[in-house]
Amino acid sequence: MRIIKRVGMRSGIAIAAIALILSAALVWQLSKARCMQLVGEVTCRVETEEKLVALTFDDGPTPEGVDAVLAELEPRGITATFFLIGSRMEKFPGQAERLIAAGHELGNHTYSHQRNLGRSQEFYANEIAKTRVLLQAAGSDTKLFRPPFGKRLIGLPLEVERAGYRTIMWDVEDQPEKFTQASAFAQDILARVRPGSIILIHPMYRHNQVARDALPIVLDGLRSQGYAVVTVSELLKRAGG
Ligand SMILES: [Zn+2]
C-alpha cells in the first residue's frame, strides 16, 4: 500500500513538472508567434491575389545604414517602412527626417529595444511613448508598431493598443545566421515571398553588411518575379485592411 502511494505521489509530481514545462514552452512559443497574439490586433501578412509585398527594415537608424538603403531604394523608386528605435534616433539625429524626406514610412520599434516580457505596464508605456515623441518630432505620426525580437505576450500588446498603434509582424525575415553570402541570403528571401507578404530585413548595423549587399538582389529579384513593393500602410490599404 505504502509503495503504491509513494509511486502515485511521484508520478503526480512528474506529471505536474511536465505540465509546467509544457505550459512554459507554450507561453514561450506564444510570445514569439508571428500571426497571433492574446490581446489586440496583429498583422504578419495580408490576404491578396495581387503581386504586392511590403518591405520593412528594423532597428537603427544609423547614418551608414540609411545611406546604404536609400542608395538602393531611391533609384528604383521604391518606398518602404522603417521601424526605428528611439534611443538610436536620439544618438543619430536627422536620420529619421532623411527617411521621411525620401518618402518612406516610419514605425515605432520601442525606445531601448529590449525583450518586452515580464516588465511593468509603466515600462511598456514609456518604451512606446518616448519613441512616439521622437517620431512626431521627426515629422511622423505613424500608427505602426513592431515589438523588438517579435516578443510580446499580454502587457506590451495592451499598451500598444492603448497608445493607438497596430502591431506589425512579418512572414518573411532575413536569416543572416544561415546565409552569409549575399546571393544565398537574397535567394532565401525571394523563395519564401508570396502575394501580401511583409518582408523584414536588418540593414542598419556594422555586422549587417550581408543584408546591405543582398538588398539590390532582393529588390531586382522581386521585380523580376513581378512583385510591386510598397509600404506597410499601402499594403494594408490595398488589401482592404
Ligand atoms: Zn529590432
Side-chain angles (χ1 to χ4, degrees), residues 23 26-27 37-38 77 112 121 154 169 172 174 182 207 241:
S23 59
L26 203 68
V27 167
Q37 64 186 28
L38 296 173
S112 57
Q121 289 308 117
I154 295 171
M169 297 286 281
V172 180
D174 55 0
H207 65 270

Side-chain angles (χ1 to χ4, degrees), residues 10 25 50 87 92 100 106 108 123 128 131 138 145 157 170 176-177 188 221:
R10 267 198 211 143
E50 252 189 293
S87 62
F92 299 113
I100 294 172
L106 305 187
N108 188 326
F123 176 87
I128 297 165
T131 307
F145 175 86
W170 59 87
E177 66 289 350
D188 167 60

Side-chain angles (χ1 to χ4, degrees), residues 58-59 85 109 113 147-149 202:
D58 274 16
D59 304 341
I85 301 167
H109 197 38
H113 202 269
F149 314 102
H202 296 82

Side-chain angles (χ1 to χ4, degrees), residues 36-233:
M36 67 164 289
Q37 64 186 28
L38 296 173
V39 180
E41 195 182 1
V42 61
T43 303
C44 62
R45 68 175 282 268
V46 302
E47 281 304 328
T48 178
E49 309 266 288
E50 252 189 293
K51 291 198 103 178
L52 200 61
V53 293
L55 188 53
T56 69
F57 297 101
D58 274 16
D59 304 341
T62 65
E64 302 77 17
V66 172
D67 284 349
V69 176
L70 290 186
E72 300 303 335
L73 297 184
E74 274 181 345
R76 293 173 175 84
I78 290 173
T79 49
T81 305
F82 292 75
F83 288 91
L84 303 185
I85 301 167
S87 62
R88 299 291 98 179
M89 293 171 70
E90 278 179 346
K91 186 173 180 187
F92 299 113
Q95 298 307 316
E97 287 84 346
R98 283 180 68 200
L99 293 171
I100 294 172
H104 300 291
E105 176 178 52
L106 305 187
N108 188 326
H109 197 38
T110 74
Y111 182 77
S112 57
H113 202 269
Q114 301 186 44
R115 281 181 170 77
N116 286 278
L117 299 174
R119 308 277 191 154
S120 68
Q121 289 308 117
E122 191 189 2
F123 176 87
Y124 302 136
N126 268 331
E127 284 285 304
I128 297 165
K130 279 161 78 176
T131 307
R132 165 176 270 169
V133 168
L134 291 160
L135 287 163
Q136 286 178 336
S140 167
D141 198 24
T142 182
K143 295 286 181 282
L144 306 179
F145 175 86
R146 178 170 282 165
F149 314 102
K151 285 278 182 195
R152 74 266 182 245
L153 264 177
I154 295 171
L156 180 65
L158 271 175
E159 295 304 329
V160 169
E161 199 170 36
R162 198 169 289 165
Y165 281 100
R166 177 170 181 163
T167 298
I168 304 297
M169 297 286 281
W170 59 87
D171 67 321
V172 180
E173 84 282 33
D174 55 0
Q175 302 193 82
E177 66 289 350
K178 276 196 195 168
F179 302 100
T180 53
Q181 299 296 316
S183 59
F185 181 105
Q187 291 312 322
D188 167 60
I189 291 172
L190 292 168
R192 288 182 291 137
V193 161
R194 55 187 175 140
S197 278
I198 299 176
I199 303 168
L200 162 58
I201 295 177
H202 296 82
M204 287 291 170
Y205 303 133
R206 196 169 297 163
H207 65 270
N208 298 133
Q209 188 59 47
V210 64
R212 293 191 287 275
D213 293 343
L215 184 56
I217 309 172
V218 172
L219 297 175
D220 293 342
L222 287 171
R223 189 167 53 188
S224 67
Q225 288 184 17
Y227 283 103
V229 179
V230 294
T231 62
V232 168
S233 290

Side-chain angles (χ1 to χ4, degrees), residues 12-32:
I13 290 168
I15 288 166
I18 289 166
L20 202 68
I21 291 165
L22 281 179
S23 59
L26 203 68
V27 167
W28 180 253
Q29 285 305 318
L30 198 59
S31 76
K32 58 178 188 173

